Amino acid sequence: MPMPGVTRSRAAAVVALMLVAVALGACQAVDSFYPPAAVTRQGVATRDLYDIVFALAAIVFVVVEALIVYTVVRYRRRPTDIELPPQIHGNNLVEVVWTVIPTIIVGILFVLSWQVLNTVDARSAEPQQAYVRATAARFQWTFQYLDKDGKVLFESLAPELTVPAGENVHLTLQSKDVTHSFYVPQFLFKRDVIPGRENWFDFTIDPQDAGQTFRGQCAQLCGTYHASMIFSVKAVTPAEYDAFIAKGTADAQSTPAPSSATSPGASAGGPPASGVSGGPPIVVTAQNIVFTTQSIEAPANAPFTIQFENQDAGIPHNVVIHGGTSITDPPLFDGEIFSGADSRLYPIPALPAGTYLFSCKVHPNMTGTLTVK
Amino acid sequence: MATTALRPAVPVIRTGLYEWLTTTDHKKIGMMYVVNSFIFFFLGGLLALGVRSELAMPGIQFFKEAEYNQLFTMHASLMLFLFVIPMLAGFGNYVVPLQIGAPDMAFPRINALSFWMLPLGGVLMLSGFLTGSGAAANGWTSYSPLAQAKYSGIGTDLWVLAVLLIGTSSILGAINFLVTIFKMRAPGMTMFRLPIVTWTVLVTSVLVLLATPVLASALIMLFIDRNYGGHFFDPAVGGNAVLWQNIFWFYSHPAVYIMILPAMGIISEVLPVFSRKPLFGYKAFVFATAAIGALGFSVWAHHMFTTGAVYLPFFSLMTFLIAVPTGVKMFNWIATMWRGQLTFSTPMIFALGFLAEFLIGGINGAFSASVPVDFALHDTYWIVAHIHYVLFGGSVFGVFAGIYYWFPKMTGRMLNETLGKVHFVLMFVGTNLTFFPMHQLGLAGMPRRIADYSSTAGWTDLNLVATIGAFTIAFSMLPFLWNVFVSLRSGEIAGDDPWEANTLEWATTSPPPPYNFDHLPDIRSERPVFDLRHGLTGGHRLAPPPAPPTTPPSPTPSEPAPNVLVEA
Amino acid sequence: MSASNPSLSQGSIVHAEPVPHARGGISNPILGMLLFITSEIMFFAGLFAAYFNVRANAPVWPPDEFVGKVHILPFVGPATVLLIVSSFTCQVGVRAIRRGDRTAMNRAIGVTLALGITFLVMQFIDYLSLYADGIRLDSGTFGSTYYTLTGFHGAHVLAGVIMLSVVLYRGSAGQFSERHHDAVEATSLYWHFVDVVWIALFSTLYLLPGH
Ligand code: HEA
Ligand code: HEA
Ligand code: CUA
Ligand SMILES: [Cu+2]
């Protein structure tokens, strides 16, 4: 129905006021329509591209939205409109115009994007580079520092990646289980970490950002605790980085190098040995997303207690005892999930003699054996 | 009294309910589609309110992480598979046979079968909530290996089976639509006189026919992986994680057009009627629809830009190009209103809402077509903003335009205009309040699908705004439901053609009789009912036609058209 | 429900001009079947895509442990021949009913049905021997793709066999005539489709050289 009381000018004034209000609000919040300031060379290129895309998009938006508003206000049916308006069925010329103009706009956007893509997604040829590898596993990041040939110098279990500012960093990405994504908002970049496939990307942090730490987060749904898969990237000067690598390498060599798989570096004095049998609690320890207690024994047909030590700060684990030796066997016991570093006492019901698989519900790859006899 | 009662001619249970349960009438089935879809819309909406409540503040308040993941997975699955797709199919069911002058769909019993698979599929999917390990929680995209048996429980199996069932329903429905449209048109109803809704249903059906079976194959392979030791999608046993993504998106990108094209059709029906003008550029519109459908099959990898496993420039270019035919539609809509005589009944304002909102959703989608920009935006709340501007601002506004537009035809009564406008205002404000801040959240680096965020991340205020907006949307449903409830009983009687519309469904009674038409008017253009009202010349000359003397001076659209169809 | 409304059809349409285009051509059920077959083709396309993907990703194909374990003889090759022949016999049946010769149709459809069942039996025996050889659904990507592709094809043959049985039953009951035999045409289309899929499968799984 037409709005009889409202004259055209008043309607226009209302619309204009609303537009002004929106524009004012938009000006204030304009920063929030841009991604954060980029800290990598690649990110800066993306940010420049974003600015162009945003400007063109804003123009298209304003023009089209204004056309809509204008049409609606201008062509309201008035009480005098009794005869039909001209019955226009179309016009080939304007169809061509509004096909060609958007084609040109998207053509420009495509070419610009492609050019930037060749900067952002390219392998650097610089002689001086840092080589690092991120490994994602539910729900934790670990970082390995490599030499030129890809040999692991040492591994850091804290979810913090240290890189030199001003030098190209070649980051390879590996997953131990499901798909994750390495995302640092201030890089304006993310790359998926896909099992069965080694992804990589190169980045160079602006030299003046040395000393800063950037927040990163897993961006691909990887299960229950996807939200807590957080890490950080610390930029240091190249000199500090060299020192960091030298120290890490030396530390790793001085440790009696277990099998390269687990717990190198820091935590000296491994977990208490297992094999406790009989009365008091049986200790099971989890560290670095593996059960460092690989096998335990318990008496048959008598209830017993498991003292579960979760030593992974911020990472949830539990103990599930399965009715057989396969992870698909139904659980006989399913302990409370809790985040480390912490411990719980699990009361286990009496079990008949036999071999049982135990696992962590959060990380099906974490397993061990329980022998009951 | 003779107790040797003969067999009663009609069993007593042949009541109204029985009639609905066994009907093969396309109109009844169409209405059941609509009602069923609304039920799932409210359920899906309730889950969304759960999501928004949890995200309103940092910290875990209402739902633990594992439950949160079920919430958004089921929210999206219900909204997409059990609300939008069936809702639009429901409109198609109701409207297409009427618009082409057919007595029913080509295969009425298969049509009933397609419908009944939907509530079954819905119950199957929701029953996951009753299992010990909960409903599916892998996102509606169900990426493998996360969706493998070792990481997710029986809820995922139920989800897979439910989506298979719903997909089968879609495929059967698509075949039915295509045969109906190709074979059952009334004399005179040439392809280029088909109403646009029918055209969009046609193109949508082609998309369903070509894309949905591919999803079915992927779901079956996933099911084999999970239950019979298959090795398709889990790299730990030699499969390929990216393969799932490729096949899934090969379906799911065309699927997003399945979810919008009929809504665009509805808009293209409503705008001309309330502008008193024909659709501008009918043929351009048809070709644009077909072009969107065709291009839709060559852009799937834009969901996989960050995998590093697809050829980026090609998919970037194709994705950008889809903006062109969509733009053609947008401009044709505006040109339809240009120099028209617009009246603002509720269907029309919802259609205008569609234009304003879908424009935002289309443009923020085009950001992602630029690969480097998508590297930054992918899997952040920017994408959630895109999803909802196209699907809520687009499809849902289109759906409500359709409801307000065809409710008089379906029930014989008008909906209340004031309540309709209250509904619109609340919903429009709520939509922007909910989904606009998500752009900023995404730019600020908030990933999607997280149950919790740090209070130091700076995302708290915007999340609170979004939550308030979500409850505003939910609140806007109250006037709507009240409107339906009241109008069904005591709404104004609609008459055959309350809107002075163009297409054949308005040439029969409201609601139409079984088999739809006692008489059909001549069909000489894409606006047979307009021709009937104003004379054929009016539809085909550029000059303004002389107003028929019967047209009342009052522009009130509720004046029922004189029932003179046969004389034409 | 239509009692109150006797004029159901469009009988009273006034044709002011001749019908601008005749909607003759194929009947609704046959068009429906063609569209259904289109969707089935897309379904198999998904399975084939998965097959070629895992195949291309494997370092060698077939994997060493399966080399020489899937045999064309004694079962699969002959079964292939039978299935191809059955397409022809099916077509003979269609031709017969188009002439109005129901007896000949029944005979031809009966032969087709027998061939189809034989195909299924032979495939089943072949499965048994493969299974005994240690090739299972869970035997790596090879086993998964092999059984999924051939298994789904088998399920479609089974569906075709059921449709043929219905046609045969109705034919023996005296249904179908020269003018009215959509079900026969539709079933035969489906049967040809099943046959063509098998030819594609056979060529891919048995003839395409590995790497
Ligand atoms: C109705 C559903 C719908 C529709 C219509 C669209 C339409 C479009 N979508 Fe959207 N999309 C989704 C539903 C939809 N999408 C969903 C659900 C997801 C998320 C899936 C998930 O991960 O869960 C998604 C994700 C998604 C992505 C992946 C993002 C990511 O995960 O990183 C991309 C990337 O390119 C994309 C692009 C587009 C484009 C270019 C269009 C175009 O069709 C839009 C074209 C329209 C316009 C551009 C506006 C009108 C045009 C003009 C006025 C002309 C002038 C314009 C220009 C010159 C720019 N979409
Ligand atoms: C058509 C599709 C559709 C629709 C309509 C909606 C509607 C809404 N969506 Fe949805 N959404 C998706 C499709 C849709 N969404 C998809 C595809 C995803 C991606 C999922 C994924 O990542 O896998 C998503 C994800 C998604 C997220 C991101 C979750 C995350 O990543 O963690 C959020 C967060 O706010 C959200 C919010 C909302 C809200 C607030 C609404 C509101 O509009 C809802 C409004 C509320 C109602 C309509 C309820 C009304 C009910 C009542 C008032 C009660 C009455 C009850 C009875 C009568 C029984 N959605
Ligand atoms: Cu890892 Cu999300
Ligand atoms: Cu897409």
Side-chain angles (χ1 to χ4, degrees):
Chain A
M1 255 160 279
M3 301 175 276
V6 186
T7 65
R8 198 213 306 182
S9 55
R10 242 179 77 198
V14 171
V15 170
L17 261 178
M18 275 163 55
L19 285 179
V20 169
V22 169
L24 278 179
C27 282
Q28 277 192 335
V30 82
D31 269 357
S32 67
F33 292 102
Y34 288 91
V39 294
T40 60
R41 189 169 59 75
Q42 289 81 355
V44 168
T46 303
R47 172 61 197 262
D48 292 345
L49 176 65
Y50 179 91
D51 292 354
I52 299 172
V53 175
F54 183 81
L56 280 174
I59 293 171
V60 172
F61 171 74
V62 169
V63 168
V64 179
E65 207 78 66
L67 269 175
I68 296 174
V69 171
Y70 174 79
T71 316
V72 168
V73 174
R74 168 72 183 78
Y75 296 109
R76 293 174 349 264
R77 186 173 184 180
R78 294 178 183 75
T80 51
D81 286 338
I82 293 160
E83 294 191 356
L84 284 177
Q87 298 293 299
I88 308 160
H89 282 262
N91 178 323
N92 286 340
L93 180 65
V94 294
E95 297 286 351
V96 171
V97 169
W98 61 50
T99 306
V100 168
I101 293 180
T103 310
I104 294 174
I105 299 179
V106 296
I108 295 171
L109 286 175
F110 167 68
V111 172
L112 290 175
S113 304
W114 194 357
Q115 281 172 345
V116 173
L117 180 62
N118 292 334
T119 318
V120 171
D121 196 13
R123 182 72 183 96
S124 158
E126 278 171 43
Q128 183 61 33
Q129 299 197 13
Y131 296 85
V132 281
R133 174 188 295 152
T135 304
R138 307 202 317 164
F139 297 90
Q140 196 201 27
W141 296 92
T142 50
F143 297 101
Q144 292 173 323
Y145 298 86
L146 317 176
D147 69 10
K148 247 178 135 102
D149 311 313
K151 199 169 92 31
V152 178
L153 298 173
F154 65 98
E155 184 176 31
S156 145
L157 294 162
E160 183 183 70
L161 171 65
T162 304
V163 292
E167 270 177 25
N168 184 66
V169 179
H170 181 64
L171 177 65
T172 47
L173 302 161
Q174 278 183 352
S175 166
K176 282 193 175 161
D177 38 42
V178 302
T179 305
H180 305 264
S181 189
F182 183 98
Y183 174 39
V184 180
Q186 279 159 289
F187 289 10
L188 274 64
F189 191 84
K190 64 180 68 68
R191 176 130 294 165
D192 295 353
V193 189
I194 301 173
R197 173 184 175 91
E198 188 170 270
N199 268 338
W200 58 265
F201 71 97
D202 282 16
F203 61 92
T204 310
I205 292 180
D206 219 352
Q208 80 221 21
D209 285 321
Q212 292 210 50
T213 302
F214 311 111
R215 201 184 57 81
Q217 184 162 9
C218 174
Q220 181 64 261
L221 178 66
C222 49
T224 308
Y225 299 99
H226 158 63
S228 57
M229 227 175 128
I230 292 174
F231 62 92
S232 57
V233 178
K234 184 173 162 197
V236 296
T237 62
E240 285 166 343
Y241 183 72
D242 291 343
F244 170 80
I245 292 291
K247 174 159 187 306
T249 314
D251 284 357
Q253 276 156 2
S254 65
T255 331
S259 67
S260 67
T262 49
S263 64
S267 65
S274 59
V276 197
S277 57
I282 303 169
V283 179
V284 174
T285 309
Q287 195 184 28
N288 309 327
I289 321 201
V290 287
F291 284 118
T292 41
T293 320
Q294 278 289 326
S295 63
I296 51 175
E297 287 180 6
N301 304 319
F304 59 100
T305 312
I306 286 181
Q307 177 183 343
F308 179 46
E309 300 281 345
N310 175 356
Q311 302 193 347
D312 286 335
I315 299 173
H317 295 300
N318 79 340
V319 175
V320 181
I321 298 174
H322 298 269
T325 52
S326 157
I327 194 148
T328 51
D329 289 323
L332 301 177
F333 171 82
D334 191 344
E336 181 202 343
I337 302 177
F338 62 96
S339 295
D342 203 347
S343 81
R344 291 283 187 286
L345 289 179
Y346 290 144
I348 313 290
L351 298 172
T355 311
Y356 301 88
L357 181 89
F358 68 86
S359 71
C360 165
K361 195 173 189 171
V362 187
H363 307 89
N365 290 345
M366 284 173 64
T367 55
T369 342
L370 162 67
T371 315
V372 178
K373 54 184 177 191
Chain B
M1 293 288 114
T3 45
T4 57
L6 298 169
R7 272 178 293 131
V10 176
V12 228
I13 43 163
R14 222 176 206 297
T15 55
L17 180 66
Y18 184 83
E19 170 66 29
W20 282 94
L21 291 179
T22 57
T23 184
T24 58
D25 172 29
H26 76 96
K27 296 181 291 301
K28 289 209 168 73
I29 293 176
M31 284 160 75
M32 289 198 292
Y33 262 100
V34 169
V35 171
N36 182 64
S37 306
F38 260 119
I39 293 173
F40 286 108
F41 175 64
F42 289 130
L43 289 174
L46 282 178
L47 297 177
L49 295 181
V51 166
R52 283 311 332 158
S53 309
E54 183 52 58
L55 292 177
M57 280 174 293
I60 297 285
Q61 288 97 12
F62 305 104
F63 300 99
K64 293 219 196 67
E65 288 90 342
E67 294 156 357
Y68 178 86
N69 291 357
Q70 297 171 34
L71 282 186
F72 70 74
T73 301
M74 296 302 281
H75 158 64
S77 305
L78 293 186
M79 286 297 192
L80 302 180
F81 298 127
L82 286 156
F83 163 59
V84 178
I85 296 179
M87 175 65 96
L88 296 170
F91 278 123
N93 244 296
Y94 193 94
V95 172
V96 164
L98 283 166
Q99 285 195 330
I100 64 174
D104 203 323
M105 297 281 279
F107 308 110
R109 274 181 293 181
I110 293 183
N111 200 23
L113 177 69
S114 311
F115 168 72
W116 286 106
M117 287 169 139
L118 292 170
L120 199 65
V123 169
L124 199 63
M125 190 184 278
L126 284 167
S127 62
F129 280 117
L130 304 177
T131 66
S133 48
N138 312 314
W140 79 282
T141 51
S142 209
Y143 275 15
S144 192
L146 183 60
Q148 294 289 341
K150 46 181 164 166
Y151 300 111
S152 57
I154 181 109
T156 306
D157 289 313
L158 293 168
W159 183 90
V160 169
L161 294 175
V163 178
L164 265 175
L165 199 64
I166 298 163
T168 311
S169 150
S170 279
I171 294 171
L172 293 179
I175 293 173
N176 220 335
F177 279 128
L178 288 172
V179 177
T180 307
I181 297 172
F182 284 134
K183 304 281 299 180
M184 313 248 312
R185 279 167 288 134
M189 181 58 80
T190 60
M191 289 308 272
F192 279 114
R193 290 178 190 165
L194 284 183
I196 291 292
V197 167
T198 302
W199 261 114
T200 54
V201 170
L202 191 160
V203 174
T204 303
S205 299
V206 172
L207 295 182
V208 170
L209 199 67
L210 297 181
T212 312
V214 178
L215 174 70
S217 76
L219 290 168
I220 285 174
M221 288 187 271
L222 180 61
F223 198 77
I224 292 174
D225 269 9
R226 290 177 53 86
N227 295 294
Y228 307 109
H231 291 68
F232 288 103
F233 302 127
D234 185 1
V237 292
N240 185 341
V242 182
L243 175 63
W244 167 267
Q245 298 188 23
N246 271 311
I247 307 186
F248 179 84
W249 291 116
F250 182 84
Y251 158 75
S252 280
H253 186 84
V256 307
Y257 295 114
I258 294 171
M259 298 172 213
I260 196 73
L261 289 180
M264 292 173 159
I266 294 172
I267 301 309
S268 317
E269 210 74 31
V270 168
L271 289 178
V273 169
F274 294 94
S275 309
R276 303 184 91 205
K277 278 183 63 201
L279 181 71
F280 192 93
Y282 173 95
K283 282 203 179 170
F285 204 94
V286 170
F287 290 133
T289 306
I292 291 176
L295 282 172
F297 279 104
S298 59
V299 301
W300 77 89
H302 65 209
H303 299 272
M304 303 162 57
F305 283 158
T306 59
T307 58
V310 294
Y311 184 63
L312 301 169
F314 172 77
F315 288 103
S316 168
L317 176 63
M318 299 316 275
T319 305
F320 269 126
L321 282 182
I322 278 200
V324 175
T326 318
V328 168
K329 292 187 164 194
M330 183 62 82
F331 296 120
N332 276 320
W333 285 324
I334 298 176
T336 301
M337 298 189 291
W338 191 263
R339 301 180 61 193
Q341 296 165 357
L342 277 58
T343 45
F344 300 97
S345 302
T346 316
M348 180 65 165
I349 50 179
F350 272 98
L352 293 173
F354 174 103
L355 296 190
E357 306 277 48
F358 180 77
L359 177 66
I360 300 181
I363 292 180
N364 67 20
F367 276 66
S368 290
S370 168
V371 181
V373 174
D374 187 64
F375 285 161
L377 300 178
H378 175 68
D379 271 344
T380 66
Y381 261 76
W382 178 283
I383 307 301
V384 181
H386 167 64
I387 296 177
H388 292 91
Y389 267 97
V390 284
L391 277 165
F392 200 92
S395 308
V396 176
F397 274 76
V399 162
F400 277 112
I403 292 285
Y404 282 96
Y405 183 63
W406 280 304
F407 187 90
K409 182 53 59 183
M410 292 179 173
T411 66
R413 289 180 186 273
M414 308 294 291
L415 283 167
N416 179 296
E417 279 290 313
T418 317
L419 285 172
K421 278 164 187 155
V422 173
H423 172 200
F424 172 80
V425 170
L426 284 172
M427 193 165 123
F428 189 82
V429 171
T431 306
N432 290 300
L433 219 51
T434 314
F435 302 120
F436 200 78
M438 292 184 181
H439 292 112
Q440 290 139 289
L441 285 172
L443 290 169
M446 177 167 168
R448 48 194 286 214
R449 298 172 167 175
I450 56 172
D452 192 13
Y453 50 89
S454 155
S455 54
T456 57
W459 304 331
T460 315
D461 296 346
L462 290 169
N463 269 302
L464 186 62
V465 172
T467 302
I468 293 171
F471 280 91
T472 312
I473 299 176
F475 187 64
S476 77
M477 294 301 139
L478 297 182
F480 169 68
L481 289 173
W482 177 245
N483 197 350
V484 170
F485 180 76
V486 172
S487 302
L488 273 179
R489 278 139 209 273
S490 55
E492 195 186 326
I493 302 291
D496 290 359
D497 183 13
W499 308 121
E500 302 197 351
N502 296 330
T503 43
L504 280 182
E505 72 268 32
W506 306 103
T508 182
T509 54
S510 307
Y515 305 102
N516 298 343
F517 295 98
D518 293 339
H519 313 282
L520 270 178
D522 276 353
I523 302 161
R524 304 271 183 71
S525 78
E526 83 280 10
R527 296 191 294 168
V529 178
F530 177 92
D531 296 343
L532 200 63
R533 196 180 313 115
H534 298 283
L536 185 59
T537 41
H540 290 265
R541 301 278 180 276
L542 288 184
T550 49
T551 308
S554 145
T556 331
S558 55
E559 188 75 27
N563 206 354
V564 290
L565 307 181
V566 219
E567 277 95 274
Chain C
M1 56 183 186
S2 53
S4 63
N5 205 323
S7 60
L8 302 176
S9 65
Q10 308 156 12
S12 50
I13 299 164
V14 187
H15 290 300
E17 54 181 320
V19 183
H21 57 121
R23 231 171 323 294
I26 54 179
S27 70
N28 289 7
I30 292 176
L31 179 57
M33 178 53 83
L34 284 173
L35 293 169
F36 181 67
I37 289 174
T38 312
S39 79
E40 291 274 47
I41 291 174
M42 291 311 289
F43 175 81
F44 276 101
L47 296 183
F48 269 100
Y51 171 81
F52 281 108
N53 183 287
V54 291
R55 181 187 166 109
N57 282 344
V60 283
W61 194 269
D64 292 336
E65 62 267 40
F66 300 111
V67 173
K69 284 206 178 166
V70 288
H71 308 284
I72 296 185
L73 292 173
F75 296 113
V76 177
T80 306
V81 175
L82 292 188
L83 200 61
I84 295 175
V85 170
S86 79
S87 242
F88 286 98
T89 59
C90 189
Q91 200 55 26
V92 170
V94 174
R95 293 262 171 101
I97 196 67
R98 280 184 196 156
R99 287 193 315 267
D101 185 348
R102 190 181 313 122
T103 323
M105 180 206 84
N106 285 343
R107 206 179 319 119
I109 295 293
V111 173
T112 313
L113 180 61
L115 289 171
I117 293 175
T118 317
F119 176 89
L120 283 177
V121 171
M122 289 172 87
Q123 195 183 31
F124 185 70
I125 300 175
D126 191 52
Y127 272 8
L128 288 182
S129 75
L130 285 175
Y131 201 80
D133 241 5
I135 304 184
R136 318 229 171 120
L137 186 56
D138 58 0
S139 308
T141 50
F142 186 84
S144 297
T145 49
Y146 180 86
Y147 281 103
T148 305
L149 280 168
T150 56
F152 268 94
H153 175 262
H156 282 74
V157 177
L158 185 63
V161 160
I162 293 171
M163 289 161 72
L164 286 168
S165 315
V166 172
V167 167
L168 187 58
Y169 175 80
R170 290 177 60 185
S172 333
Q175 298 186 25
F176 303 128
S177 64
E178 196 178 337
R179 314 188 63 191
H180 184 81
H181 57 266
D182 280 345
V184 187
E185 298 270 359
T187 303
S188 108
L189 283 173
Y190 190 76
W191 193 252
H192 295 324
F193 155 73
V194 167
D195 194 13
V196 169
V197 170
W198 178 253
I199 292 173
L201 263 182
F202 179 78
S203 319
T204 315
L205 293 177
Y206 290 90
L207 303 182
L208 195 68
H211 66 253

